Amino acid sequence: MMRRLAELLGSMRFAISLLTLICVASAIGTLVRQNEPWVNYVNQFGPFWASWFQTLGVFSIYNAPWFVAVMTFLVVSTSLCVWRNAPKMIHEMKVYRENVRESSLKAFAHRWEGQFSQTPAELQRLVSEWIEHRGYSTRLNARDNGVMIAAKAGSANRLGYLATHLAIIVICIGGLLDSGVPLKLAVWATDKKPVTGAEVASGIPTDSRFGVANPSYRANLLLPEGETSRVAVLNVDQGLLIQDLPFELTLKQFRIDFYSTGMPKLFASDVQVHDPETGKRFDATIEVNKPLIYKGVTVYQSSFDDGGSRVALKGYSLKGDNPLAFDVKGVIGSATELRNRDAVYKLEFTGFKAFNVESMPVNNGSPSEGDNAEAGQSPGNNLNPETSAVGAERTSTMPNQFGAGSSMSVFQGNLASVVGPGVKHDPNNQFVNVGPSVNYKLRDSSGQAREFHNFMLPIAIDGGRFYLVGVRDTPAESFRYLRLPVDDQGGLDGFSRFRAALDDAGVRQSAAQRFATAAFGQSAGSADLVKGVAQGAKKALDRFAGVDSEGLSGLNAIAKMIETTVPEAERQKGTEVIIRLIQGAMWEVYQISRERAGLPKAEPDEVHGKFVQDAQVAYSDLSQFGSPLILQLDQFEEVKASVFQVAKAPGQWIVYVGCFLLVVGVFAMFYIRERRLFFWITELPSGAAIKMGMSTTRKTMDFEHEFEQICAELNRRKAAS
Amino acid sequence: MSSTWIDQDASGAQRSVSGKGRWMPKPVHWTDWIFAVLVIAGAGFAHTQYGYAMDGYEVGILWSVVPVVIYMSYRWSSLKALIFAVSVASLLGIGAYGGDLGAGDQKFVLKYLLSSQTAILWMGVLFVTATVSYWVGLIGRSETAQFVGTALTWGAVFFGFTGLFVRWFESYLIGPDVGHIPVSNLYEVFVLFALVTGLYYLYYEQVYNTRQLGAFVMLVVVMAVGFLAWYGIERQAYAIQPLVPALQSWWMKIHVPANFIGYGTFSLAAMVAFAYLLKVYAHASSVKALFPTAGLGVLMFLEPLVFRSEGVSLYWAVYFGIGCVVVGGIVMARRRIADALPSLEILDDLMYKSIAVGFAFFTVATILGALWAAEAWGAYWQWDPKETWALVVWLNYAAWLHMRLVKGLRGVVASYWALVGLLITGFAFLGVNMFLSGLHSYGQL
């Protein structure tokens, strides 16, 4: 029974089945994103399948018990294969089989016979010398009726077999040492209890801690600038464990550098290492591709994050008639409470970036495409191009996308630019640092959060300058950006005043009146006209402000108003009139908003004209913005944090030894051909006869060539003799 | 009568296989010596001229390449001419720039011949014409046309390598901090893929002394050129991009080329497998037997576009259309093609040899990748999609080789398997970049 089991486990059929299983499982692991939050899986597969897949370990397939088991079986199977075959192979390598019987030479598929005039002794010497020169080693077996020369070459081929199969075992064992398994075992054996983030703050209990002696771990360490840590964090299923490090690490500075294209060029952490045991203290720089190795522990630059930057925000209400800004201060990663007249919000500061390099059109367009690329990004920054601060691939998504609509003409146009050096001449876009940005979430009393992404500085788009305020309701969406025009002071106050004024019924009333008077009040007897115009303007402004307009506001409300009140035949003319009405009245709203703030009257020039126009559009868009307030980044004090991976991988060198064996073995297997030659030399009355047989474990064309060559040479010698 | 057989051996030997002869199968010619001196001088020149841009590892790589190149060109003499021509042309190109990137658009020799994009364009054009020549030769039984095919393929390889070397230099002209070996993104490695496949084919063409397979092998090269044309011209992916921090490592110089020797030879093997199946089924009475072969052929053309998310553009529709026509044409003309093809035995041997080479290099490349990953990402293996698919490819060919070496699998099944292997390889190479994200997202589509 045991023997049959061992035979099955060691069989190649079994091994190939395991390999297939590993292939399929691995492929699944690449198709289903691994180790994502549970919610994502439920969204993707539905609760039923998600829980099934969870049970099968599909979401963490490479650590699933059955996957580890398959790997183990592979090791067992390969070991059995080596165990069974190695003695045979080593024996085969050594033996010459010089005792082979003359008669069995006849069974060889490759054989040759011929007679020579030399004496058997002479012939034996010639043949031995000749084939030894060809790279064979020989052994003689003198018998009563003749001499058998047995020769072999390429025996190291068998070593190739041994080396490759041993390599697989060694690599798997080394890999197992560095996998999550030792940690699980250690947690189980020492009964460690994972803690949650909240508990960490109140001190770490010893049974959630691993000492310096832990032989294998891969932990994370987020270190803000200026701070020191002696521990790293291990993520286990339900929480965290703390790993003590054999040294103290202080982050002095984290540096990011960009190429002129906006691609990241350098992520580097200047650290100080302090060894409490020896008191040794030294500086080091950790970069991607340049880890720090000290006391058997390797520290890698794995990503970066905000280390708790302090930000000061200016808040503007988007409802009601108060145009004044209020101040909010906070630290990234923390939260605070915001009260307004009728609600309480939790304000969570989630991210800050001091630089945002975007591909900006030289003339017009918006950076929204660039922002889209960033949409799915969490505040943490991975160092890989895919999600890095300013993604490398963003450039490729920008200008020349070959959508379904474009045609071969683009192709031809681009063809001309392809000759010459490998440099893209793109006069339409350039990379610009658009300044700092902040991410925050506003969570209402029901727990619903809306996320915002605001730029600190105005950005030039479409010939104007705007503050961009991004919003989204779920992390799956990309940000939608609201453009708020810059006022003549370069700030947002102007828009806030305009917005508040427009939302004030009294202001709308007096603006309509002022407009009517200014436009028609000079001529005598125009009182009725003025009154009519004022009424019309008031109505239009009301609608625009969302009063009596079926839930619509802004330009949509006006469009609706035109649709319902102006007969179709007069629509074009009517539309013009209403637009002129609104334009005029809006100008007055603007003027009133300035008066209230004690600002001088605005001259009807291009600057103010454009502002009023943009402000109307922005106001119109507010209805889709959905938030009662915005928070504009006013001041900041950046604190960066570096995220390190701290690893002790005892299996690494075992794996490398295995890899070396593998390479040696693979080349030996393919490029060393094992061959055997047998010459049976007998005495003839006039000379001697040779019966030759040639064999190999693997028939290839090279073998056939060699056989033909050897036969040809023997034939030539036979003729010569 | 001689007292030894060894002397005779030397006089009459074209190819002896003695122990020493295995590594030195032919006498060292005086050109070998001259070439060796030139290579050493060239490396010395590169070291003194461009040493400032290399770190210790890279200097090590430079000098390790020297014996490899000398030995390879001793074994395969044609390589000498290629290396010589590429070196001269690259130096001419570099010299013509005179330190000013703008010269690329002004000087005639650069703009129309030696600047990287122009040279790569020439490579594409020559590969395509070579393929046409090979097909004309195969179907029209014209040795001249096939000779022209070979010559054009050499030309294409020459231009391709020159283009890459000049591109390497151009990247330093953009900015000293931008400069890097051109194997860093999908565009550059596609050029490398076409070159490696082409060069390996040329080698086997000489070893097996047959030009009939060029028509088949060049198809996969042309597919790569077709992709390059779209990727370069439409997506403007030809632009040299600086290296993100993860790629700033000397490991890239050896990991990527080793990988592409694997990809190239696997593709070569698959095309030979295609020829094998065609020959086997050419005289089959039932057309049904041809369906799987033709289907796999069509699938191969389909692979670059099957996973595209943005819909199929006109370019890819045309590309696929041409692919179908080519496969259809091949199937129609199968008898005429099959009769001209080398024996099944040779095809089988070639398939095995190129998979063996590919497997060996793919093993090395994957290990190099693991070593690099250990340094850059902190773990030599972390089941990143590209890593995982490399493992799948590796296991696939490991199984193929097991079956062949242990069970003696050959013929039709081995050929189908080799073709399917290319589909898997193609997915690992392209598909992963197209729609799986991960750490290897340097060449996204």
Side-chain angles (χ1 to χ4, degrees):
Chain A
M1 181 64 202
M2 276 311 281
R3 252 193 58 206
R4 280 184 56 194
L5 185 69
E7 211 156 88
L8 171 73
L9 287 180
S11 73
M12 203 174 75
R13 227 174 3 165
F14 188 70
I16 297 270
S17 317
L18 288 178
L19 288 183
T20 316
L21 204 58
I22 292 172
C23 275
V24 172
S26 304
I28 290 173
T30 63
L31 300 177
V32 180
R33 281 175 167 264
Q34 300 286 295
N35 301 315
E36 296 250 304
W38 171 243
V39 197
N40 295 11
Y41 293 123
V42 175
N43 284 342
Q44 200 179 346
F45 302 106
F48 176 76
W49 287 111
S51 56
W52 265 106
F53 288 161
Q54 172 82 348
T55 319
L56 290 175
V58 171
F59 303 138
S60 182
I61 211 163
Y62 308 114
N63 286 317
W66 64 268
F67 191 78
V68 176
V70 171
M71 287 297 229
T72 316
F73 268 120
L74 184 70
V75 173
V76 170
S77 164
T78 317
S79 309
L80 280 172
C81 178
V82 171
W83 178 257
R84 279 201 326 213
N85 292 325
K88 260 191 272 173
M89 294 251 174
I90 293 169
H91 179 71
E92 278 286 305
M93 271 172 66
K94 287 190 198 146
V95 296
Y96 286 83
R97 299 219 196 100
E98 68 274 17
N99 296 322
V100 71
R101 279 198 315 222
E102 181 207 341
S103 58
S104 55
L105 282 185
K106 283 183 193 137
F108 278 51
H110 296 83
R111 52 179 196 276
W112 182 92
E113 283 182 28
Q115 296 183 359
F116 293 79
S117 57
Q118 288 96 334
T119 62
E122 174 74 356
L123 203 55
Q124 174 207 319
R125 186 186 63 78
L126 286 171
V127 167
S128 298
E129 194 186 52
W130 170 57
I131 54 171
E132 271 167 21
H133 181 75
R134 289 189 72 102
Y136 286 77
S137 53
T138 59
R139 180 162 293 185
L140 289 181
N141 182 273
R143 302 175 196 169
D144 297 343
N145 51 346
V147 175
M148 180 67 82
I149 306 174
K152 67 180 175 70
S155 298
N157 173 277
R158 308 256 179 183
L159 281 181
Y161 160 85
L162 285 177
T164 44
H165 288 74
L166 275 178
I168 299 296
I169 300 170
V170 171
I171 290 173
C172 285
I173 290 174
L176 194 71
L177 287 180
D178 293 346
S179 71
V181 175
L183 177 67
K184 278 190 181 160
L185 280 179
V187 169
W188 174 76
T190 57
D191 198 24
K192 300 283 180 194
K193 301 213 168 37
V195 289
T196 59
E199 292 170 62
V200 173
S202 61
I204 297 132
T206 43
D207 63 352
S208 303
R209 221 181 163 101
F210 275 112
V212 178
N214 185 6
S216 168
Y217 55 84
R218 195 169 292 287
N220 291 311
L221 168 58
L222 186 145
L223 199 56
E225 284 174 330
E227 292 191 19
T228 303
S229 180
R230 257 213 80 166
V231 294
V233 175
L234 292 161
N235 288 309
V236 282
D237 301 336
Q238 258 85 46
L240 312 170
L241 287 171
I242 302 302
Q243 171 66 53
D244 286 335
L245 301 178
F247 50 81
E248 273 178 6
L249 203 62
T250 308
L251 179 63
K252 297 202 292 191
Q253 196 194 3
F254 177 72
R255 290 178 282 139
I256 311 180
D257 199 0
F258 295 103
Y259 293 106
S260 57
T261 62
M263 280 169 68
K265 177 179 173 181
L266 174 78
F267 301 111
S269 298
D270 295 326
V271 297
Q272 189 175 65
V273 180
H274 174 229
D275 188 339
E277 235 170 75
T278 61
K280 198 173 139 193
R281 205 178 272 278
F282 63 93
D283 287 339
T285 298
I286 302 172
E287 287 176 45
V288 181
N289 272 312
K290 286 172 193 159
L292 165 76
I293 302 172
Y294 186 63
K295 284 196 152 176
V297 176
T298 315
V299 186
Y300 301 94
Q301 180 74 56
S302 102
S303 67
F304 63 94
D305 206 338
D306 191 280
S309 296
R310 282 174 283 281
V311 289
L313 306 173
K314 259 187 181 351
Y316 293 94
S317 181
L318 296 178
K319 289 214 169 71
D321 50 14
N322 181 10
L324 295 180
F326 55 96
D327 291 324
V328 190
K329 283 199 167 118
V331 174
I332 301 299
S334 70
T336 180
E337 212 163 72
L338 274 189
R339 279 171 193 283
N340 94 11
R341 222 172 294 160
D342 36 34
V344 180
Y345 292 96
K346 192 178 169 207
L347 170 63
E348 301 165 16
F349 301 94
T350 52
F352 170 79
K353 260 197 311 194
F355 297 97
N356 288 280
V357 184
E358 302 287 341
S359 170
M360 298 287 286
V362 173
N363 296 317
N364 56 9
S366 81
S368 59
E369 271 187 278
D371 295 319
N372 284 341
E374 186 175 45
Q377 192 189 332
S378 59
N381 298 282
N382 205 299
L383 298 191
N384 296 305
E386 172 191 33
T387 49
S388 60
V390 259
E393 73 280 13
R394 181 167 309 161
T395 50
S396 65
T397 66
M398 288 292 294
N400 294 300
Q401 209 143 20
F402 193 38
S406 50
S407 69
M408 289 306 254
S409 63
V410 184
F411 198 90
Q412 286 154 2
N414 288 345
L415 186 61
S417 69
V418 164
V419 294
V423 192
K424 183 148 66 178
H425 307 285
D426 187 356
N428 299 320
N429 284 277
Q430 63 184 25
F431 290 92
V432 183
N433 175 16
V434 296
S437 67
V438 65
N439 284 63
Y440 61 86
K441 280 182 182 169
L442 267 184
R443 200 176 287 280
D444 62 21
S445 47
S446 66
Q448 289 289 320
R450 202 172 259 136
E451 193 184 353
F452 297 83
H453 178 229
N454 297 2
F455 288 89
M456 182 183 191
L457 303 172
I459 295 167
I461 308 162
D462 292 347
R465 287 168 71 230
F466 299 90
Y467 287 100
L468 292 187
V469 183
V471 66
R472 64 178 173 193
D473 296 329
T474 64
E477 292 171 32
S478 45
F479 284 105
R480 307 184 302 276
Y481 287 87
L482 184 67
R483 297 177 179 185
L484 303 178
V486 171
D487 63 20
D488 53 342
Q489 312 288 313
L492 253 180
D493 293 342
F495 175 74
S496 182
R497 284 194 302 265
F498 177 80
R499 201 271 320 148
L502 191 53
D503 279 345
D504 186 329
V507 173
R508 292 199 295 273
Q509 175 74 48
S510 40
Q513 191 63 45
R514 279 198 202 182
F515 163 66
T517 315
F520 305 101
Q522 282 88 351
S523 49
S526 61
D528 284 348
L529 177 64
V530 168
K531 200 177 164 197
V533 169
Q535 257 174 10
K538 168 74 168 41
K539 196 172 151 199
L541 285 181
D542 282 350
R543 289 288 170 93
F544 198 93
V547 179
D548 301 333
S549 58
E550 300 160 25
L552 294 174
S553 67
L555 296 170
N556 288 337
I558 300 300
K560 180 85 179 168
M561 181 175 101
I562 293 170
E563 216 172 276
T564 49
T565 57
V566 185
E568 197 157 352
E570 300 164 32
R571 195 155 289 172
Q572 196 177 348
K573 208 174 159 210
T575 306
E576 275 169 31
V577 170
I578 289 176
I579 286 179
R580 222 177 302 150
L581 213 61
I582 292 176
Q583 298 295 354
M586 286 290 183
W587 178 254
E588 296 301 337
V589 170
Y590 177 55
Q591 294 288 21
I592 294 174
S593 78
R594 288 176 67 88
E595 276 167 30
R596 285 176 151 196
L599 292 170
K601 214 170 151 59
E603 292 302 319
D605 58 13
E606 209 182 315
V607 176
H608 293 289
K610 178 146 175 49
F611 173 81
V612 174
Q613 229 169 28
D614 292 339
Q616 282 175 61
V617 175
Y619 183 91
S620 193
D621 289 342
L622 281 182
S623 60
Q624 274 131 57
F625 188 61
S627 168
L629 57 101
I630 53 169
L631 297 165
Q632 188 57 26
L633 184 58
D634 189 38
Q635 283 175 352
F636 65 88
E637 196 183 318
E638 191 185 20
V639 180
K640 285 172 287 195
S642 204
V643 181
F644 297 112
Q645 191 181 96
V646 190
K648 214 167 163 182
Q652 187 163 348
W653 287 100
I654 302 179
V655 170
Y656 292 171
V657 167
C659 289
F660 178 74
L661 274 178
L662 185 63
V663 172
V664 170
V666 162
F667 277 92
M669 269 204 330
F670 295 143
Y671 296 105
I672 300 178
R673 292 175 297 112
E674 189 192 40
R675 296 96 70 202
R676 290 181 185 279
L677 275 170
F678 300 94
F679 293 88
W680 174 241
I681 302 175
T682 47
E683 192 167 4
L684 288 179
S686 59
I690 287 183
K691 279 186 185 158
M692 186 274 274
M694 190 172 182
S695 72
T696 181
T697 43
R698 255 174 238 154
K699 252 184 73 183
T700 59
M701 266 178 98
D702 294 315
F703 173 76
E704 301 286 345
H705 276 307
E706 193 184 352
F707 174 70
E708 280 162 26
Q709 242 178 38
I710 286 177
C711 290
E713 285 188 32
L714 284 171
N715 282 329
R716 215 174 49 238
R717 261 124 217 182
K718 187 181 81 172
S721 69
Chain B
M1 185 177 298
S2 63
S3 60
T4 173
W5 284 3
I6 298 168
D7 291 338
Q8 292 176 8
D9 185 56
S11 67
Q14 310 92 334
R15 284 186 16 189
S16 105
V17 206
S18 69
K20 187 182 155 211
R22 243 183 95 67
W23 293 102
M24 306 288 280
K26 58 180 185 181
V28 179
H29 197 242
W30 61 270
T31 50
D32 293 322
W33 289 109
I34 291 180
F35 189 75
V37 171
L38 280 177
V39 170
I40 294 168
F45 174 76
H47 192 164
T48 49
Q49 188 80 4
Y50 306 115
Y52 65 88
M54 304 181 208
D55 62 21
Y57 295 107
E58 288 166 327
V59 171
I61 294 173
L62 173 70
W63 286 103
S64 324
V65 164
V66 168
V68 175
V69 165
I70 291 174
Y71 181 69
M72 274 175 21
S73 35
Y74 152 75
R75 288 295 292 264
W76 186 26
S77 276
S78 310
L79 214 49
K80 291 195 195 83
L82 177 73
I83 292 172
F84 187 74
V86 168
S87 309
V88 169
S90 304
L91 287 174
L92 268 179
I94 290 168
Y97 269 113
D100 173 24
L101 197 58
D105 290 322
Q106 287 143 20
K107 290 194 179 166
F108 181 85
V109 63
L110 287 175
K111 186 165 184 188
Y112 295 103
L113 221 53
L114 292 179
S115 69
S116 68
Q117 276 319 106
T118 314
I120 288 167
L121 201 66
W122 276 113
M123 175 199 82
V125 170
L126 290 178
F127 269 136
V128 172
T129 41
T131 311
V132 172
S133 283
Y134 274 126
W135 276 107
V136 168
L138 183 66
I139 297 192
R141 300 279 191 274
S142 157
E143 276 183 30
T144 320
Q146 289 187 323
F147 173 80
V148 171
T150 303
L152 289 172
T153 307
W154 276 109
V157 170
F158 159 77
F159 269 112
F161 275 113
T162 305
L164 284 186
F165 279 115
V166 173
R167 186 181 170 93
W168 196 344
F169 181 74
E170 282 169 4
S171 69
Y172 280 89
L173 285 182
I174 293 175
D177 60 344
V178 174
H180 61 268
I181 186 170
V183 291
S184 70
N185 61 28
L186 198 58
Y187 178 81
E188 290 164 343
V189 296
F190 246 99
V191 177
L192 187 66
F193 169 78
L195 291 176
V196 168
T197 314
L199 202 57
Y200 256 97
Y201 164 71
L202 288 171
Y203 175 70
Y204 285 128
E205 186 179 271
Q206 283 187 13
V207 170
Y208 288 91
N209 198 19
T210 169
R211 292 206 167 104
Q212 318 294 346
L213 286 169
F216 284 89
V217 177
M218 282 301 130
L219 278 185
V220 78
V221 175
V222 165
M223 273 191 244
V225 169
F227 179 86
L228 268 178
W230 170 80
Y231 197 47
I233 298 173
E234 209 46 70
R235 281 293 181 81
Q236 311 233 307
Y238 61 83
I240 295 171
Q241 297 286 355
L243 293 179
V244 294
L247 288 179
Q248 293 166 10
S249 170
W250 58 276
W251 286 107
M252 188 171 77
K253 282 189 173 164
I254 47 181
H255 167 63
V256 180
N259 235 320
F260 277 83
I261 294 179
Y263 287 142
T265 49
F266 289 153
S267 311
L268 199 157
M271 295 321 287
V272 174
F274 189 65
Y276 187 99
L277 290 172
L278 205 74
K279 192 173 172 82
V280 169
Y281 290 126
H283 299 284
S285 52
S286 157
V287 186
K288 249 189 259 170
L290 273 163
F291 277 151
T293 311
L296 281 170
V298 169
L299 256 184
M300 247 169 339
F301 277 98
L302 202 58
E303 190 155 20
L305 49 130
V306 78
F307 295 115
R308 300 197 60 70
S309 50
E310 66 205 45
V312 175
S313 61
L314 180 61
Y315 181 88
W316 288 112
V318 171
Y319 178 92
F320 181 58
I322 292 175
C324 288
V325 169
V326 168
V327 174
I330 293 173
V331 170
M332 298 276 282
R334 62 187 179 279
R335 297 222 167 123
R336 191 159 177 82
I337 294 170
D339 292 342
L341 284 175
S343 71
L344 289 177
E345 203 190 0
I346 287 183
L347 294 178
D348 187 76
D349 195 65
L350 214 163
M351 187 165 43
Y352 162 70
K353 284 226 174 94
S354 44
I355 285 185
V357 170
F359 185 77
F361 275 94
F362 202 76
T363 308
V364 172
T366 309
I367 291 171
L368 290 173
L371 292 171
W372 184 7
E375 201 169 292
W377 300 329
Y380 51 82
W381 193 267
Q382 46 188 339
W383 300 102
D384 163 69
K386 196 84 172 179
E387 282 175 359
T388 310
W389 275 96
L391 178 71
V392 172
V393 169
W394 191 84
L395 290 178
N396 172 59
Y397 285 107
W400 191 94
L401 287 163
H402 259 102
M403 293 302 281
R404 162 136 196 152
L405 296 180
V406 181
K407 303 266 163 179
L409 176 86
R410 27 192 96 199
V412 173
V413 178
S415 303
Y416 274 128
W417 195 344
L419 267 177
V420 173
L422 180 60
L423 288 181
I424 298 175
T425 310
F427 185 82
F429 176 16
L430 264 185
V432 173
N433 292 33
M434 272 189 217
F435 82 124
L436 299 180
S437 64
L439 298 166
H440 270 85
S441 44
Y442 309 115
Q444 279 194 337
L445 288 161

